Amino acid sequence: MGEVTVLAERIRDVLVERGFGTPVQRSNGEIHRYEELTGVAAPTEVAELWSVLGGVDVVGMLLEGADSAGQACAARAGESEASGVGVPYEELDGSTDGAVRMVWWDRAWCPLVSTADNAIAVDGHPGEKGHVGQVMYCNFEVFSDREAVWPSAAEFVGDVLAVVSAEPLVVVNGFGSMMTDDGRDLTVMMAALEIGRARRDGRRSRFSTVT
């Protein structure tokens, strides 16, 4: 059993233990479906996550499954490939530190979470200063950077576990949120992102009770 599998099972158990309800899973799809849709095999760590939490709503953060991730990846890649450089997206839609390639989307980016506004994805085609398997955050505003935040999918899933296990997490109508020390109220995804960024940047998290 891999590390991601263990962490994902713990997330599922914590959701139930804390009374957040039994995770509701939409259709996950067979793992081969992802490659059929994208032309790229899903990373092993992602397959582990999908085997436990594929398509599960983690108090407001809907994790992708093989089918939905494949559709999201293929659609974003299609946008990127059809537009060409700078039409309508600027070439510099990548990370300024060189860890993530300067493209709008790449078929080797496997989405763990994907919305109309942003995505978290495992990077199979990194920039010169990045590495295969890093997990990146994408804001879909045209001039926003893509940034490598976690060194691996296991680190990302571990931060999600930290958020859902934290006592200050408040869940209302199925949506979880946490307040930072500076007064911002963050969703589960954005709270995990804050923790990941803090670790990457060598600073303390803005959550006083989450390390």
Side-chain angles (χ1 to χ4, degrees):
M1 185 181 294
E3 183 180 5
V4 170
T5 301
V6 173
L7 292 167
E9 289 181 344
R10 184 59 189 145
I11 289 171
R12 183 186 59 199
D13 293 344
V14 167
L15 293 175
V16 176
E17 290 167 6
R18 298 198 62 189
F20 298 152
T22 302
V24 177
Q25 182 169 322
R26 64 181 174 181
S27 178
N28 187 7
E30 298 296 327
I31 189 68
H32 66 81
R33 178 66 174 153
Y34 183 82
E35 185 168 1
E36 290 175 0
L37 288 163
T38 65
V40 180
T44 301
E45 284 188 305
V46 180
E48 285 186 43
L49 177 61
W50 289 343
S51 72
V52 181
L53 294 178
V56 166
D57 182 350
V58 179
V59 286
M61 181 181 71
L62 189 59
L63 295 172
E64 301 300 329
D67 195 68
S68 61
Q71 292 179 36
C73 179
R76 291 293 181 189
E79 292 172 3
S80 182
E81 293 158 5
S83 69
V85 175
V87 187
Y89 310 116
E90 294 292 331
E91 183 178 9
L92 297 182
D93 271 329
S95 66
T96 55
D97 63 5
V100 182
R101 294 178 59 247
M102 291 185 177
V103 294
W104 175 248
W105 191 265
D106 188 292
R107 289 183 183 274
W109 295 352
C110 182
L112 302 176
V113 182
S114 182
T115 73
D117 299 317
N118 45 48
I120 291 174
V122 175
D123 189 353
H125 191 182
E128 290 183 4
K129 297 184 179 178
H131 65 270
V132 172
Q134 66 187 6
V135 179
M136 50 175 284
Y137 172 71
C138 249
N139 185 313
F140 289 130
E141 290 185 7
V142 173
F143 298 106
S144 294
D145 285 344
R146 285 88 175 91
E147 56 178 313
V149 178
W150 299 270
S152 67
E155 290 276 0
F156 165 71
V157 178
D159 286 345
V160 174
L161 175 59
V163 173
V164 298
S165 301
E167 286 302 319
L169 180 69
V170 175
V171 179
V172 178
N173 296 327
F175 290 89
S177 64
M178 285 183 63
M179 184 171 289
T180 64
D181 291 341
D182 55 3
R184 291 178 300 140
D185 199 29
L186 302 182
T187 64
V188 170
M189 183 174 82
M190 298 310 290
L193 179 62
E194 159 58 25
I195 295 170
R197 282 171 168 166
R199 182 190 304 107
R200 176 197 65 188
D201 298 341
R203 60 173 172 82
R204 292 188 61 183
S205 168
R206 294 185 175 91
F207 298 110
S208 59
T209 55
V210 179
T211 57

